[in-house]
Amino acid sequence: MIIAVEGPSAAGKTTWCRAQVTNESVVEEFVAEYQPSGFEPDGTNLEVQASYWATVNSNRWSQAKELEVRSGIAICDSDPLNCTTAGA
């Protein structure tokens, strides 16, 4: 099962995700929210921007699937296939 935790900024999504990772829990880790690297495309080339975000989101989805296979559950801090990131 893959669980995507959604909500407004500063609502406590990351805090909640971290709280699920305990010694008594089946949750080993969680898929973290995307953290800006400083190397994101500037939007001048839409093809480059689309490719970048498709890769970022595909990688997060892969992390979720791998975690799900290992432990049966994957908690994601935000939707791992966030289709709105390129418009942000």
Side-chain angles (χ1 to χ4, degrees), residues 8 12-13 20-22 28 32 36 39-40 42 47-48 51-52 56 59 66 68 74 76 79-80 84:
K13 298 178 299 293
Q20 306 317 300
V21 182
T22 66
E28 304 171 350
F39 298 103
E40 293 79 11
D42 63 9
E47 226 174 275
V48 168
S51 176
Y52 178 85
V56 165
N59 289 341
E66 289 169 19
E68 180 189 34
C76 304
D79 179 3
T84 60

Side-chain angles (χ1 to χ4, degrees), residues 14-85:
T14 302
T15 300
W16 186 88
C17 289
R18 284 187 187 128
Q20 306 317 300
V21 182
T22 66
N23 291 337
E24 299 84 34
S25 173
V26 297
V27 179
E28 304 171 350
E29 58 185 279
F30 68 95
V31 179
E33 182 177 30
Y34 175 77
Q35 296 298 312
S37 65
F39 298 103
E40 293 79 11
D42 63 9
T44 56
N45 184 324
L46 296 181
E47 226 174 275
V48 168
Q49 184 168 339
S51 176
Y52 178 85
W53 289 112
T55 300
V56 165
N57 293 331
S58 176
N59 289 341
R60 290 190 71 237
W61 179 251
S62 293
Q63 287 177 326
K65 292 296 293 174
E66 289 169 19
L67 187 53
E68 180 189 34
V69 166
R70 279 199 324 265
S71 66
I73 188 167
I75 295 178
C76 304
D77 186 350
S78 76
D79 179 3
L81 281 177
N82 185 357
C83 296
T84 60
T85 303

